[in-house]
Each structure stands twice: as structure tokens, then as C-alpha cells.
Amino acid sequence: LMEPKHLPDMPAYSVLMSVYAGEKPEYLRESLESMYSQTYPAADFVLVCDGKLTEKLDETVKEYEDKYPDTFHTVRLEKKRGVGECANIGIDACKSEYIVKMDSDDIALPQRCEKQLSLMRDKPQLDMCGAYIEEFDTDTGEEIAVKKTPVENEQIHRYARRRNPFNNQTLVFKKSFALKIGGYDTVKRCEDYDFVVRMLQNGAVGENIPEVLVRYRVSKHNYERRRNWANTRSFISVRWRIFRSGYSNFADFIIPCAMQLGIFILPKSLTGKIYKKFLR
């Protein structure tokens, strides 16, 4: 592990992650290790177990409970509740005002939290912070692409009318503001986009760091999930809600929905190519 730096006046933060039985233990371990190797360590780490885990996953979780008893806290749910409910349960369990989201199969770069919390310290008006991600092939480890997001708050607001202006794997937000808007909604898909827009609608100020701070694991299953009907229907539903709220106009609603429907209808062989060229 890297030796943590002494960083004066840095705000404490909590890491929030959820895991379910479909995850691979080796991916979870890599993700956990990347967060426990940060140059600026977390005050506490909340892992929400979304329903019963496999034996191997449970062994990994128990290993970290034993290894970091003072900071690693597990919330075990009897039944699978979904991403939104797990996020809300985790937010309640986090001890710090600043919450760092992390996915259970991605890899944070060592200075991720130092850079993001430094920005939040230097700009206390910020309520959310994100960064770029590097998508990499889960089989080979090779870089596929860098997913960039708008940097300044005004750009973020414009971008959010059609797409999520934050890479969810990099999101940091203030717990108090999240609680003020009622946390995450229990939509089946696109809950992260819905959450970010409601934060912005209620006056949250955001910024993205224009550099890669998280590596995002990509496999053929990512493209398959994007083109299934459940994902497509939820995509349209969330964007309809945003349009009805007055945040976006009809063109902002119809154009991304048409593109998503195209992904659903077109052959699998074209799905990945279209995503890489147009939707990233």
C-alpha cells in the first residue's frame, strides 16, 4: 500500500460502494484495494451488500472487515433491493459530509481522492465533483477510450439536459445536499443520471476534473445491457421525467431517446461501434 500523505485541512470523506451476487470476487478485491491505496485515505468505508452474496464474495468482504475493522463497515441486506435503495441506505450509514462513490468492479487511481477532496476543500461552494474515466478491456487490460465530461458548472448544466454530465464511477457529493433532495430515486435504470439532475435542479454546483481518475471495466456484456428493453425503457422514462420537470426541452428528450432506440433495434455487431463513435 502507498504511504498516505499528511494533507492539512483536508475534509474527511466516506467511500460508498454496493456489491451483489453477480460480481466477481477478484474484481471486488481490485476495487477495494484501489480505494485502500489512496494517497489520502478515507475516514470510513461503507459497503452495502445487495442481498445474499456468493461464498467467494463473502470471503472477500470478511477479509476486509478483519483487515480494516476501524474503517470498513458492511451493511448486509437480506433481499436484493437495487442500486437506488442501496445508495440511500449507504448514504445514511456514511459518517462524513463528503461521500465518494465507487463501483465494485472499477479501479481508482492512487491520487483520485486526494485530487477530488483538494478541489472540494479549495472550492467549498461545490456540492459535486467528478472526473474523466478510462474504459479498459476487462480481458486484456488495454485502454479502449477516455470518457470525458464537461468541466465547469455552466457546461455541466447544459450537458445534463441530454446526458449524465458526471461519470458515476468518479462522483463525490455532499451528504447534506443529497439528503435535502431525498437521495436516489428507486428507478430501475439511469438512477445516477436522475440523481445528478435533481441535485442540479435544486441548486447544486458541480465541477469535473479534466483528467482520468478511475479505470472503468468494459466487456461485451456492457453493450448487451445497453441494448436490452429494460434499460431502454428506463432510459426513456427518466428522460421523460426530466423533460416534464422543465429542466430540458423536447429536442433534449427526443434526440437521445431516438439514439437509444436505435441501439436497441440495430444488430449487436453495430451496437458497440455506435456507442463508441456517437454516445461517448
Side-chain angles (χ1 to χ4, degrees):
L1 296 181
M2 297 188 70
E3 186 68 27
K5 297 177 181 178
H6 175 67
L7 300 169
D9 304 321
M10 288 282 279
Y13 70 93
S14 300
V15 178
L16 173 57
M17 180 188 291
S18 64
V19 64
Y20 75 110
E23 192 56 86
K24 292 187 177 183
E26 59 269 30
Y27 295 170
L28 174 62
R29 184 185 299 276
E30 279 189 83
S31 184
L32 291 172
E33 206 60 27
S34 76
M35 294 308 292
Y36 271 102
S37 299
Q38 291 295 304
T39 56
Y40 176 53
D44 74 310
F45 193 122
V46 175
L47 178 69
V48 181
C49 300
D50 193 9
K52 188 175 180 181
L53 302 180
T54 63
E55 184 178 346
K56 291 291 185 182
L57 279 171
D58 209 43
E59 287 175 3
T60 302
V61 172
K62 288 177 181 176
E63 175 189 332
Y64 278 80
E65 287 175 331
D66 293 339
K67 193 174 181 181
Y68 301 103
D70 295 331
T71 58
F72 192 78
H73 309 295
T74 308
V75 180
R76 297 179 183 272
L77 305 179
E78 290 294 322
K79 295 182 179 179
K80 197 170 187 298
R81 306 276 286 273
V83 175
E85 283 196 59
C86 284
N88 289 334
I89 291 166
I91 288 170
D92 286 339
C94 285
K95 297 178 180 179
S96 303
E97 165 69 347
Y98 291 95
I99 296 178
V100 174
K101 285 288 298 297
M102 184 63 184
D103 281 359
S104 58
D105 58 354
D106 296 327
I107 301 169
L109 299 190
Q111 287 187 303
R112 177 203 166 177
C113 295
E114 178 185 341
K115 289 185 176 184
Q116 291 192 278
L117 272 297
S118 292
L119 180 66
M120 302 289 272
R121 175 198 62 191
D122 296 342
K123 297 184 176 181
Q125 72 273 21
L126 291 181
D127 303 295
M128 291 187 291
C129 170
Y132 295 172
I133 58 172
E134 175 195 284
E135 297 183 348
F136 72 98
D137 189 299
T138 190
D139 297 319
T140 66
E142 294 179 358
E143 178 186 330
I144 297 173
V146 171
K147 187 176 178 184
K148 299 180 178 181
T149 42
V151 175
E152 302 296 337
N153 188 56
E154 187 177 337
Q155 299 170 325
I156 286 169
H157 271 274
R158 287 199 303 269
Y159 194 94
R161 294 170 188 158
R162 296 190 182 184
R163 297 169 62 188
N164 192 341
F166 293 95
N167 289 312
N168 177 60
Q169 303 86 352
T170 70
L171 191 63
V172 179
F173 59 86
K174 289 179 178 177
K175 176 176 179 175
S176 57
F177 209 110
L179 292 175
K180 185 175 78 171
I181 68 159
Y184 281 72
D185 205 327
T186 54
V187 292
K188 292 184 178 180
R189 300 286 194 283
C190 302
E191 58 284 315
D192 303 310
Y193 180 36
D194 175 82
F195 173 76
V196 162
V197 168
R198 287 189 292 107
M199 290 277 282
L200 293 171
Q201 281 181 306
N202 283 275
V205 178
E207 186 171 323
N208 279 302
I209 297 173
E211 62 179 286
V212 171
L213 293 182
V214 173
R215 300 188 75 220
Y216 172 63
R217 195 180 299 277
V218 174
S219 70
K220 62 180 181 180
H221 300 297
N222 291 78
Y223 299 127
E224 290 172 1
R225 282 200 301 270
R226 290 187 183 108
R227 71 182 304 277
N228 68 40
W229 176 240
N231 186 63
T232 301
R233 182 174 58 189
S234 187
F235 184 101
I236 294 170
S237 175
V238 167
R239 278 155 180 77
W240 177 249
R241 180 190 299 190
I242 292 168
F243 164 64
R244 289 295 301 271
S245 74
Y247 189 78
S248 63
N249 61 36
F250 189 68
D252 295 327
F253 163 71
I254 203 68
I255 290 172
C257 287
M259 295 176 75
Q260 183 69 25
L261 283 169
I263 284 181
F264 175 69
I265 294 167
L266 289 171
K268 288 183 181 180
S269 59
L270 295 175
T271 301
K273 293 178 182 178
I274 291 174
Y275 170 73
K276 290 176 186 178
K277 186 170 181 63
F278 296 108
L279 299 187
R280 183 177 286 109

